[in-house]
Amino acid sequence: MQLQFSPSMRSITISSNNGFIDLMKIKVAACHISYRTLFHTILILAFLLPFVFILTAVVTLEGVNKCSSFDCLGRRLGPRFLGRADDSARLVRDFYNILNEVKTGEVPSSLKLPDSFDQMVSDMKNNQYDAKTFAFMLKRMMEKFENEIRESKFAELMNKHFAASSIPKGINCLSLRLTDEYSSNAHARKQLPPPELLPMLSDNSFHHFILSTDNILAASVVVTSTVQSSLKPENIVFHVITDKKTYAGMHSWFALNPPSPAIVEVKGIHQFDWLTRENVPVLEAVESQNGIRNYYHGNHVMGTNLSDTSPRKFASKLQSRSPKYISLLNHIRIYIPELYPNLDKVVFLDDDVVVQRDLSPLWEIDLNGKVNGAVETCRGEDEWVMSKHFRNYFNFSHPLIAKHLDPDECAWAYGMNVFDLRAWRAANIRETYHSWLKENLRSNMTMWKLGTLPPALIAFRGHVHPIDPSWHMLGLGYQNKTSVEKVKMAAVIHYNGQSKPWLEIGFEHLKPFWTKYVNYSNDFVRNCHIMES
């Protein structure tokens, strides 16, 4: 017996096995489901089944497999298909609302803070804190931690300020031992330079460098690095200026360790006839006035509300109160034309620089009639050093500053400067410098608060010729993220800032550029335990 379906699926015929005799023919009711509908239904089911499988797997992984599969799927799929959020989203939203409410509320004084996270969990379990109480506790704990971190930061800045202002024991020892050597050793007192070389001190065919410092070790590094980096060291003349107490030790060092073939002259401030009280009345007032001395040597926290200032502003305030800023030795650069009346062009170097390349081309730079060849410090992205304008140095709320200066004017760097002394003598730079120092004293130091650069920025306005930044790289005493590769490429690197390379707070990866020029085999250096780090 065989069953045969008609092509339209509307009848069924029952026939014998040989197919010759039709035993029965049955008509079937018309089909109400078309092939197209059936095809679409199968397609939709094929699309949905993978998602049903994934959701079922999620239910299982989330540990809800204790309930029946249909119940779990209903619980999971129902809210999603109906557009309703589940309980977790609602809880997050409710807790966020509580945090917003607590943000402006007062923390209850009776709320005791736990000493640790474990204790907080234990207290919540034992006391059954509600969400609002927990939020208040969280707020109080965050405030406590922020205050502790803030206080630690200010303490760190204060300690760093004291470390930067102090003289390391080894460097102080070096100065004392060399001073003693000056009194007992005739070789340490020999004339610098020898009499036959004295004419070179005013010979403008030589390259004259000027260095002002009371740090003997730092002076030795500046001179040594300059001479070793020079292609023609026999053309170099160094004029080292120091104060009266350091003169004997400084003289001893260069008398016993001459940087041949270069020439070195060492003079103390007291040996310059031009530096009289009549010629520098303002600087004497700065050094002697009690109010000024208290500003630089007094309590550096007094009058400062730490809750109203940022660590960065506090660091800037401490930096501006460095005692070196009232030293005549620091202001001496403004008198170079008078101290060296026979010289036409010089390069001034700070004592915290290292010379890594021959500087002879600096004498070939045409300053176009300007006085000061300097690197501008407003052309870079570095906010600490190379993005400085006048607004960073002056108080523009002061009427005189606002009237005479432009806050967007570009600043420049002290520390490696090419000075055309002939053009300088034709300008009134020193008089302008003095007059603004007087105004700042009358204003109780409210016009600026950062050393010798602000009055120099005013005095040299219109007299500065920008030189290529590769000659002078700054900021090695400010930032530990300074690029070592960029340091290697600079002609002069400058450790301006608190972290000097001879201090323990100096940045370790930047110290080797300085220490490589320290003569650690020298008996005085070894006996004072100035050891290479």
Side-chain angles (χ1 to χ4, degrees):
M1 186 177 294
Q2 295 179 348
L3 294 178
Q4 293 181 347
F5 295 88
S6 66
S8 64
M9 296 293 291
R10 295 185 179 182
S11 65
I12 301 174
T13 302
I14 303 173
S15 61
S16 61
N17 289 334
N18 55 21
F20 294 108
I21 302 173
D22 293 334
L23 301 177
M24 185 181 298
K25 190 173 185 180
I26 303 172
K27 289 187 178 181
V28 180
C31 182
H32 297 288
I33 301 177
S34 66
Y35 285 117
R36 180 176 296 179
T37 302
L38 182 62
F39 173 75
H40 288 166
T41 301
I42 294 173
L43 189 62
I44 292 171
L45 288 175
F47 180 76
L48 290 178
L49 281 175
F51 289 96
V52 173
F53 172 78
I54 292 172
L55 289 173
T56 305
V58 170
V59 171
T60 304
L61 291 174
E62 289 183 351
V64 198
N65 53 348
K66 292 183 180 180
C67 60
S68 68
S69 59
F70 290 107
D71 182 39
C72 290
L73 285 175
R75 218 192 298 170
R76 295 289 180 178
L77 294 176
R80 287 173 171 80
F81 286 134
L82 296 176
R84 296 197 301 268
D86 61 10
D87 290 343
S88 61
R90 180 178 57 80
L91 287 174
V92 171
R93 185 176 63 253
D94 291 345
F95 190 63
Y96 179 73
N97 292 335
I98 291 173
L99 290 177
N100 272 336
E101 181 182 348
V102 167
K103 183 171 64 175
T104 56
E106 290 291 332
V107 180
S109 57
S110 59
L111 187 63
K112 295 182 179 180
L113 293 183
D115 296 325
S116 66
F117 179 77
D118 289 339
Q119 184 182 343
M120 183 185 73
V121 174
S122 177
D123 289 348
M124 290 185 63
K125 181 178 179 181
N126 296 333
N127 299 323
Q128 296 294 313
Y129 290 141
D130 57 19
K132 190 171 184 178
T133 303
F134 170 74
F136 272 124
M137 180 179 292
L138 187 64
K139 178 182 179 181
R140 174 69 69 83
M141 291 178 68
M142 292 296 293
E143 290 174 347
K144 177 186 176 183
F145 293 149
E146 286 176 358
N147 289 335
E148 290 177 352
I149 293 172
R150 187 181 180 84
E151 290 173 2
S152 298
K153 185 63 177 179
F154 283 122
E156 176 192 353
L157 292 171
M158 183 63 74
N159 292 334
K160 190 173 183 180
H161 170 71
F162 290 138
S165 302
S166 63
I167 301 174
K169 183 171 63 175
I171 292 179
N172 187 51
C173 166
L174 183 66
S175 179
L176 293 175
R177 285 179 177 267
L178 287 168
T179 299
D180 182 65
E181 192 74 10
Y182 184 84
S183 62
S184 59
N185 186 345
H187 291 289
R189 295 193 304 273
K190 69 181 180 182
Q191 184 174 347
L192 289 178
E196 64 273 16
L197 298 180
L198 285 177
M200 314 306 183
L201 298 180
S202 56
D203 188 341
N204 284 294
S205 65
F206 286 78
H207 295 156
H208 294 267
F209 292 88
I210 296 178
L211 170 66
S212 174
T213 181
D214 60 355
N215 187 327
I216 297 173
L217 189 65
S220 73
V221 169
V222 175
V223 173
T224 301
S225 65
T226 304
V227 173
Q228 291 186 9
S229 300
S230 175
L231 298 178
K232 294 183 178 181
E234 64 275 9
N235 288 344
I236 291 178
V237 177
F238 253 100
H239 304 269
V240 180
I241 307 173
T242 190
D243 56 17
K244 190 173 184 178
K245 66 179 176 59
T246 314
Y247 169 75
M250 189 76 75
H251 189 282
S252 294
W253 176 267
F254 286 107
L256 299 174
N257 303 279
S260 301
I263 299 170
V264 175
E265 174 197 35
V266 178
K267 294 193 74 172
I269 289 178
H270 60 288
Q271 295 175 317
F272 287 100
D273 296 333
W274 186 86
L275 287 176
T276 64
R277 293 184 178 182
E278 291 75 21
N279 289 330
V280 289
V282 175
L283 296 183
E284 175 157 351
V286 169
E287 286 191 309
S288 62
Q289 185 175 317
N290 288 333
I292 302 304
R293 293 191 64 82
N294 286 337
Y295 178 84
Y296 286 102
H297 293 282
N299 189 336
H300 292 71
V301 185
M302 184 179 297
T304 300
N305 187 348
L306 298 183
S307 62
D308 291 338
T309 188
S310 66
R312 179 170 178 176
K313 289 181 179 179
F314 186 65
S316 178
K317 177 180 179 180
L318 292 177
Q319 174 73 2
S320 70
R321 290 195 172 195
S322 174
K324 72 177 183 179
Y325 291 136
I326 59 172
S327 167
L328 178 57
L329 201 58
N330 197 42
H331 290 267
I332 201 74
R333 65 195 80 188
I334 202 68
Y335 307 113
I336 290 176
E338 289 77 23
L339 301 182
Y340 300 97
N342 297 319
L343 297 182
D344 295 336
K345 200 171 191 178
V346 301
V347 169
F348 177 86
L349 296 175
D350 271 349
D351 65 355
D352 53 355
V353 307
V354 172
V355 177
Q356 303 185 126
R357 201 165 73 218
D358 179 43
L359 300 185
S360 299
L362 290 176
W363 274 264
E364 306 303 323
I365 294 177
D366 183 2
L367 298 182
N368 296 316
K370 305 293 185 180
V371 174
N372 180 5
V375 169
E376 292 183 316
T377 55
C378 66
R379 308 297 182 189
E381 297 179 356
D382 168 35
E383 61 180 351
W384 276 101
V385 180
M386 297 303 292
S387 58
K388 300 295 185 182
H389 296 79
F390 274 28
R391 71 170 73 90
N392 299 107
Y393 296 99
F394 297 99
N395 173 21
F396 277 87
S397 63
H398 193 287
L400 279 178
I401 295 294
K403 180 179 179 181
H404 292 93
L405 302 182
D406 177 5
D408 295 321
E409 189 166 343
C410 188
W412 47 268
Y414 254 160
M416 200 288 293
N417 304 85
V418 184
F419 288 132
D420 184 337
L421 301 186
R422 289 172 298 182
W424 191 335
R425 294 185 187 102
N428 61 343
I429 291 173
R430 175 167 57 90
E431 290 74 16
T432 303
Y433 188 89
H434 277 180
S435 65
W436 280 92
L437 276 179
K438 291 178 183 178
E439 289 294 342
N440 197 32
L441 287 174
R442 293 192 194 102
S443 300
N444 196 27
M445 305 288 287
T446 58
M447 299 172 77
W448 66 80
K449 293 183 178 180
L450 187 60
T452 56
L453 182 55
L457 291 175
I458 301 176
F460 282 99
R461 287 184 77 200
H463 300 288
V464 178
H465 176 77
I467 63 176
D468 193 279
S470 64
W471 284 112
H472 186 190
M473 181 179 182
L474 298 108
L476 277 70
Y478 279 116
Q479 307 170 94
N480 60 358
K481 295 182 180 180
T482 301
S483 168
V484 171
E485 293 304 317
K486 290 183 179 180
V487 171
K488 292 178 181 178
M489 297 173 61
V492 176
I493 55 175
H494 194 171
Y495 292 83
N496 59 312
Q498 292 180 317
S499 301
K500 304 299 185 188
W502 55 82
L503 299 175
E504 290 188 6
I505 60 175
F507 301 125
E508 291 299 327
H509 69 296
L510 299 177
K511 282 185 179 182
F513 293 96
W514 186 85
T515 56
K516 66 184 291 186
Y517 295 105
V518 176
N519 183 7
Y520 289 101
S521 63
N522 180 275
D523 288 340
F524 291 98
V525 173
R526 287 192 295 105
N527 292 334
C528 287
H529 305 288
I530 301 175
M531 301 300 294
E532 185 172 10
S533 57

